[in-house]
Amino acid sequence: DTEVTQTPKHLVMGMTNKKSLKCEQHMGHRAMYWYKQKAKKPPELMFVYSYEKLSINESVPSRFSPECPNSSLLNLHLHALQPEDSALYLCASTRDRSSTYEQYFGPGTRLTVT
Amino acid sequence: GQNIDQPTEMTATEGAIVQINCTYQTSGFNGLFWYQQHAGEAPTFLSYNVLDGLEEKGRFSSFLSRSKGYSYLLLKELQMKDSASYLCAVYNAGNMLTFGGGTRLMVKP
């Protein structure tokens, strides 16, 4: 199984809503990543988890709150988002942070903030 | 700092060969990846280079010159389904993956 899954595929939310994005992998990977990708732009790193601990936060606003409940699951909790937060949110995983193996990407969640 | 440059767009004809270049300046180097991304979909892995030279995988080949900070992705026998964005990405010394802006390739009949 070399798959990273993400739910939901699409999400529309208002600026006062609270929602969560979910990412799951069963490859035994111990590093997981959240990226944000705007249209026609490359993915931008948001957070890195290594062995279920937050390793890197790329100065992301607090309205985005990551959580790693276990080694297979990564969540991104959303609250009080702005329309400019509309983007494709990609989850990725790799064997661990110290290796340079390829990152496996999930299909992404297309988020629209109204 | 990190700087990865790729052409923004390229157009090629079905059946032809196209070369997508990538130049990089990063704080350390631990490998270079090429990913393919169709619109609205996740990036998918194409190739990985960490040593100088050419890596061939079917219709796709990737070349790396570490001394020049340069890589290219070569696509042969182009097919319509190859129309996509191609992302060059570099692992720096801290094993953080930085992406170039991507090259949108349009394959025409």
PDB file of all heavy atoms in Angstrom, chain B residues 2-24:
ATOM      1  N   GLN B   2      16.979  29.937  -0.745  1.00  0.00           N
ATOM      2  CA  GLN B   2      16.613  28.885  -1.689  1.00  0.00           C
ATOM      3  C   GLN B   2      16.094  29.541  -2.960  1.00  0.00           C
ATOM      4  O   GLN B   2      15.268  30.444  -2.898  1.00  0.00           O
ATOM      5  CB  GLN B   2      15.497  28.007  -1.105  1.00  0.00           C
ATOM      6  CG  GLN B   2      15.648  27.715   0.370  1.00  0.00           C
ATOM      7  CD  GLN B   2      16.596  26.581   0.620  1.00  0.00           C
ATOM      8  OE1 GLN B   2      17.684  26.510   0.056  1.00  0.00           O
ATOM      9  NE2 GLN B   2      16.189  25.667   1.470  1.00  0.00           N
ATOM     10  N   ASN B   3      16.572  29.079  -4.084  1.00  0.00           N
ATOM     11  CA  ASN B   3      16.092  29.597  -5.348  1.00  0.00           C
ATOM     12  C   ASN B   3      16.089  28.468  -6.364  1.00  0.00           C
ATOM     13  O   ASN B   3      17.143  27.877  -6.633  1.00  0.00           O
ATOM     14  CB  ASN B   3      16.992  30.747  -5.821  1.00  0.00           C
ATOM     15  CG  ASN B   3      16.341  31.545  -6.906  1.00  0.00           C
ATOM     16  OD1 ASN B   3      15.134  31.703  -6.918  1.00  0.00           O
ATOM     17  ND2 ASN B   3      17.137  32.026  -7.836  1.00  0.00           N
ATOM     18  N   ILE B   4      14.917  28.169  -6.892  1.00  0.00           N
ATOM     19  CA  ILE B   4      14.787  27.110  -7.886  1.00  0.00           C
ATOM     20  C   ILE B   4      14.027  27.677  -9.067  1.00  0.00           C
ATOM     21  O   ILE B   4      12.903  28.147  -8.909  1.00  0.00           O
ATOM     22  CB  ILE B   4      14.050  25.881  -7.313  1.00  0.00           C
ATOM     23  CG1 ILE B   4      14.790  25.352  -6.091  1.00  0.00           C
ATOM     24  CG2 ILE B   4      13.925  24.801  -8.371  1.00  0.00           C
ATOM     25  CD1 ILE B   4      14.108  24.199  -5.393  1.00  0.00           C
ATOM     26  N   ASP B   5      14.637  27.657 -10.240  1.00  0.00           N
ATOM     27  CA  ASP B   5      14.056  28.282 -11.421  1.00  0.00           C
ATOM     28  C   ASP B   5      13.742  27.270 -12.506  1.00  0.00           C
ATOM     29  O   ASP B   5      14.566  26.413 -12.824  1.00  0.00           O
ATOM     30  CB  ASP B   5      15.008  29.336 -11.997  1.00  0.00           C
ATOM     31  CG  ASP B   5      15.097  30.557 -11.113  1.00  0.00           C
ATOM     32  OD1 ASP B   5      14.046  30.999 -10.610  1.00  0.00           O
ATOM     33  OD2 ASP B   5      16.206  31.069 -10.914  1.00  0.00           O
ATOM     34  N   GLN B   6      12.557  27.414 -13.061  1.00  0.00           N
ATOM     35  CA  GLN B   6      12.109  26.603 -14.196  1.00  0.00           C
ATOM     36  C   GLN B   6      11.354  27.529 -15.138  1.00  0.00           C
ATOM     37  O   GLN B   6      10.792  28.528 -14.695  1.00  0.00           O
ATOM     38  CB  GLN B   6      11.103  25.531 -13.773  1.00  0.00           C
ATOM     39  CG  GLN B   6      11.435  24.658 -12.650  1.00  0.00           C
ATOM     40  CD  GLN B   6      10.297  23.721 -12.320  1.00  0.00           C
ATOM     41  OE1 GLN B   6       9.905  23.596 -11.164  1.00  0.00           O
ATOM     42  NE2 GLN B   6       9.759  23.020 -13.301  1.00  0.00           N
ATOM     43  N   PRO B   7      11.307  27.173 -16.445  1.00  0.00           N
ATOM     44  CA  PRO B   7      10.450  27.973 -17.332  1.00  0.00           C
ATOM     45  C   PRO B   7       8.994  27.823 -16.897  1.00  0.00           C
ATOM     46  O   PRO B   7       8.582  26.776 -16.405  1.00  0.00           O
ATOM     47  CB  PRO B   7      10.686  27.342 -18.711  1.00  0.00           C
ATOM     48  CG  PRO B   7      11.258  25.994 -18.443  1.00  0.00           C
ATOM     49  CD  PRO B   7      11.991  26.086 -17.146  1.00  0.00           C
ATOM     50  N   THR B   8       8.216  28.867 -17.108  1.00  0.00           N
ATOM     51  CA  THR B   8       6.822  28.858 -16.660  1.00  0.00           C
ATOM     52  C   THR B   8       5.956  27.961 -17.537  1.00  0.00           C
ATOM     53  O   THR B   8       5.127  27.196 -17.034  1.00  0.00           O
ATOM     54  CB  THR B   8       6.259  30.277 -16.678  1.00  0.00           C
ATOM     55  OG1 THR B   8       7.105  31.116 -15.913  1.00  0.00           O
ATOM     56  CG2 THR B   8       4.857  30.314 -16.106  1.00  0.00           C
ATOM     57  N   GLU B   9       6.153  28.057 -18.833  1.00  0.00           N
ATOM     58  CA  GLU B   9       5.322  27.290 -19.771  1.00  0.00           C
ATOM     59  C   GLU B   9       6.153  26.789 -20.942  1.00  0.00           C
ATOM     60  O   GLU B   9       7.125  27.438 -21.347  1.00  0.00           O
ATOM     61  CB  GLU B   9       4.193  28.166 -20.336  1.00  0.00           C
ATOM     62  CG  GLU B   9       3.090  28.492 -19.362  1.00  0.00           C
ATOM     63  CD  GLU B   9       1.939  29.246 -20.009  1.00  0.00           C
ATOM     64  OE1 GLU B   9       2.066  29.628 -21.176  1.00  0.00           O
ATOM     65  OE2 GLU B   9       0.915  29.442 -19.335  1.00  0.00           O
ATOM     66  N   MET B  10       5.757  25.636 -21.474  1.00  0.00           N
ATOM     67  CA  MET B  10       6.372  25.113 -22.692  1.00  0.00           C
ATOM     68  C   MET B  10       5.277  24.444 -23.520  1.00  0.00           C
ATOM     69  O   MET B  10       4.297  23.913 -22.957  1.00  0.00           O
ATOM     70  CB  MET B  10       7.468  24.098 -22.370  1.00  0.00           C
ATOM     71  CG  MET B  10       8.652  24.678 -21.602  1.00  0.00           C
ATOM     72  SD  MET B  10       9.963  23.489 -21.314  1.00  0.00           S
ATOM     73  CE  MET B  10      10.663  23.332 -22.942  1.00  0.00           C
ATOM     74  N   THR B  11       5.446  24.459 -24.810  1.00  0.00           N
ATOM     75  CA  THR B  11       4.520  23.796 -25.715  1.00  0.00           C
ATOM     76  C   THR B  11       5.315  22.862 -26.624  1.00  0.00           C
ATOM     77  O   THR B  11       6.414  23.218 -27.071  1.00  0.00           O
ATOM     78  CB  THR B  11       3.756  24.817 -26.578  1.00  0.00           C
ATOM     79  OG1 THR B  11       3.062  25.711 -25.718  1.00  0.00           O
ATOM     80  CG2 THR B  11       2.744  24.118 -27.476  1.00  0.00           C
ATOM     81  N   ALA B  12       4.791  21.672 -26.854  1.00  0.00           N
ATOM     82  CA  ALA B  12       5.464  20.711 -27.726  1.00  0.00           C
ATOM     83  C   ALA B  12       4.410  19.910 -28.480  1.00  0.00           C
ATOM     84  O   ALA B  12       3.219  19.936 -28.134  1.00  0.00           O
ATOM     85  CB  ALA B  12       6.352  19.795 -26.904  1.00  0.00           C
ATOM     86  N   THR B  13       4.870  19.199 -29.497  1.00  0.00           N
ATOM     87  CA  THR B  13       3.962  18.444 -30.359  1.00  0.00           C
ATOM     88  C   THR B  13       3.966  16.967 -29.974  1.00  0.00           C
ATOM     89  O   THR B  13       5.008  16.407 -29.600  1.00  0.00           O
ATOM     90  CB  THR B  13       4.386  18.589 -31.829  1.00  0.00           C
ATOM     91  OG1 THR B  13       4.454  19.985 -32.138  1.00  0.00           O
ATOM     92  CG2 THR B  13       3.393  17.914 -32.769  1.00  0.00           C
ATOM     93  N   GLU B  14       2.824  16.353 -30.092  1.00  0.00           N
ATOM     94  CA  GLU B  14       2.696  14.924 -29.832  1.00  0.00           C
ATOM     95  C   GLU B  14       3.730  14.135 -30.628  1.00  0.00           C
ATOM     96  O   GLU B  14       3.953  14.405 -31.815  1.00  0.00           O
ATOM     97  CB  GLU B  14       1.280  14.481 -30.229  1.00  0.00           C
ATOM     98  CG  GLU B  14       0.883  13.103 -29.754  1.00  0.00           C
ATOM     99  CD  GLU B  14      -0.569  12.789 -30.100  1.00  0.00           C
ATOM    100  OE1 GLU B  14      -1.162  13.502 -30.938  1.00  0.00           O
ATOM    101  OE2 GLU B  14      -1.106  11.833 -29.525  1.00  0.00           O
ATOM    102  N   GLY B  15       4.413  13.205 -29.957  1.00  0.00           N
ATOM    103  CA  GLY B  15       5.429  12.394 -30.610  1.00  0.00           C
ATOM    104  C   GLY B  15       6.826  12.984 -30.551  1.00  0.00           C
ATOM    105  O   GLY B  15       7.817  12.294 -30.841  1.00  0.00           O
ATOM    106  N   ALA B  16       6.930  14.240 -30.167  1.00  0.00           N
ATOM    107  CA  ALA B  16       8.223  14.923 -30.137  1.00  0.00           C
ATOM    108  C   ALA B  16       8.941  14.669 -28.802  1.00  0.00           C
ATOM    109  O   ALA B  16       8.477  13.903 -27.949  1.00  0.00           O
ATOM    110  CB  ALA B  16       8.020  16.413 -30.348  1.00  0.00           C
ATOM    111  N   ILE B  17      10.109  15.327 -28.661  1.00  0.00           N
ATOM    112  CA  ILE B  17      10.901  15.271 -27.427  1.00  0.00           C
ATOM    113  C   ILE B  17      10.928  16.680 -26.824  1.00  0.00           C
ATOM    114  O   ILE B  17      11.062  17.672 -27.563  1.00  0.00           O
ATOM    115  CB  ILE B  17      12.346  14.819 -27.718  1.00  0.00           C
ATOM    116  CG1 ILE B  17      12.349  13.407 -28.314  1.00  0.00           C
ATOM    117  CG2 ILE B  17      13.196  14.862 -26.444  1.00  0.00           C
ATOM    118  CD1 ILE B  17      13.735  12.962 -28.789  1.00  0.00           C
ATOM    119  N   VAL B  18      10.805  16.771 -25.514  1.00  0.00           N
ATOM    120  CA  VAL B  18      10.898  18.079 -24.866  1.00  0.00           C
ATOM    121  C   VAL B  18      11.823  17.979 -23.661  1.00  0.00           C
ATOM    122  O   VAL B  18      11.876  16.946 -22.984  1.00  0.00           O
ATOM    123  CB  VAL B  18       9.500  18.601 -24.456  1.00  0.00           C
ATOM    124  CG1 VAL B  18       8.932  17.806 -23.296  1.00  0.00           C
ATOM    125  CG2 VAL B  18       9.558  20.066 -24.094  1.00  0.00           C
ATOM    126  N   GLN B  19      12.584  19.043 -23.430  1.00  0.00           N
ATOM    127  CA  GLN B  19      13.505  19.096 -22.280  1.00  0.00           C
ATOM    128  C   GLN B  19      13.107  20.254 -21.385  1.00  0.00           C
ATOM    129  O   GLN B  19      13.022  21.399 -21.848  1.00  0.00           O
ATOM    130  CB  GLN B  19      14.949  19.297 -22.778  1.00  0.00           C
ATOM    131  CG  GLN B  19      15.967  19.419 -21.659  1.00  0.00           C
ATOM    132  CD  GLN B  19      17.389  19.479 -22.181  1.00  0.00           C
ATOM    133  OE1 GLN B  19      17.812  18.669 -23.001  1.00  0.00           O
ATOM    134  NE2 GLN B  19      18.168  20.441 -21.696  1.00  0.00           N
ATOM    135  N   ILE B  20      12.856  19.963 -20.116  1.00  0.00           N
ATOM    136  CA  ILE B  20      12.475  20.985 -19.143  1.00  0.00           C
ATOM    137  C   ILE B  20      13.665  21.188 -18.215  1.00  0.00           C
ATOM    138  O   ILE B  20      14.104  20.249 -17.546  1.00  0.00           O
ATOM    139  CB  ILE B  20      11.232  20.558 -18.348  1.00  0.00           C
ATOM    140  CG1 ILE B  20      10.067  20.270 -19.300  1.00  0.00           C
ATOM    141  CG2 ILE B  20      10.857  21.655 -17.348  1.00  0.00           C
ATOM    142  CD1 ILE B  20       8.834  19.712 -18.596  1.00  0.00           C
ATOM    143  N   ASN B  21      14.166  22.409 -18.178  1.00  0.00           N
ATOM    144  CA  ASN B  21      15.354  22.712 -17.378  1.00  0.00           C
ATOM    145  C   ASN B  21      15.004  23.234 -15.996  1.00  0.00           C
ATOM    146  O   ASN B  21      13.944  23.834 -15.791  1.00  0.00           O
ATOM    147  CB  ASN B  21      16.210  23.753 -18.100  1.00  0.00           C
ATOM    148  CG  ASN B  21      16.755  23.240 -19.409  1.00  0.00           C
ATOM    149  OD1 ASN B  21      17.082  22.065 -19.544  1.00  0.00           O
ATOM    150  ND2 ASN B  21      16.844  24.116 -20.397  1.00  0.00           N
ATOM    151  N   CYS B  22      15.912  23.006 -15.073  1.00  0.00           N
ATOM    152  CA  CYS B  22      15.753  23.487 -13.700  1.00  0.00           C
ATOM    153  C   CYS B  22      17.128  23.891 -13.176  1.00  0.00           C
ATOM    154  O   CYS B  22      18.077  23.107 -13.272  1.00  0.00           O
ATOM    155  CB  CYS B  22      15.150  22.383 -12.836  1.00  0.00           C
ATOM    156  SG  CYS B  22      15.129  22.727 -11.059  1.00  0.00           S
ATOM    157  N   THR B  23      17.245  25.093 -12.684  1.00  0.00           N
ATOM    158  CA  THR B  23      18.483  25.511 -12.018  1.00  0.00           C
ATOM    159  C   THR B  23      18.163  25.820 -10.568  1.00  0.00           C
ATOM    160  O   THR B  23      17.063  26.292 -10.257  1.00  0.00           O
ATOM    161  CB  THR B  23      19.107  26.745 -12.688  1.00  0.00           C
ATOM    162  OG1 THR B  23      18.156  27.819 -12.673  1.00  0.00           O
ATOM    163  CG2 THR B  23      19.521  26.458 -14.110  1.00  0.00           C
ATOM    164  N   TYR B  24      19.125  25.548  -9.695  1.00  0.00           N
ATOM    165  CA  TYR B  24      18.841  25.711  -8.275  1.00  0.00           C
ATOM    166  C   TYR B  24      20.037  26.284  -7.536  1.00  0.00           C
ATOM    167  O   TYR B  24      21.184  26.082  -7.920  1.00  0.00           O
ATOM    168  CB  TYR B  24      18.419  24.368  -7.651  1.00  0.00           C
ATOM    169  CG  TYR B  24      19.492  23.299  -7.686  1.00  0.00           C
ATOM    170  CD1 TYR B  24      20.412  23.172  -6.650  1.00  0.00           C
ATOM    171  CD2 TYR B  24      19.586  22.426  -8.765  1.00  0.00           C
ATOM    172  CE1 TYR B  24      21.403  22.207  -6.688  1.00  0.00           C
ATOM    173  CE2 TYR B  24      20.576  21.453  -8.815  1.00  0.00           C
ATOM    174  CZ  TYR B  24      21.478  21.351  -7.776  1.00  0.00           C
ATOM    175  OH  TYR B  24      22.456  20.389  -7.816  1.00  0.00           O
TER     176      TYR B  24
END
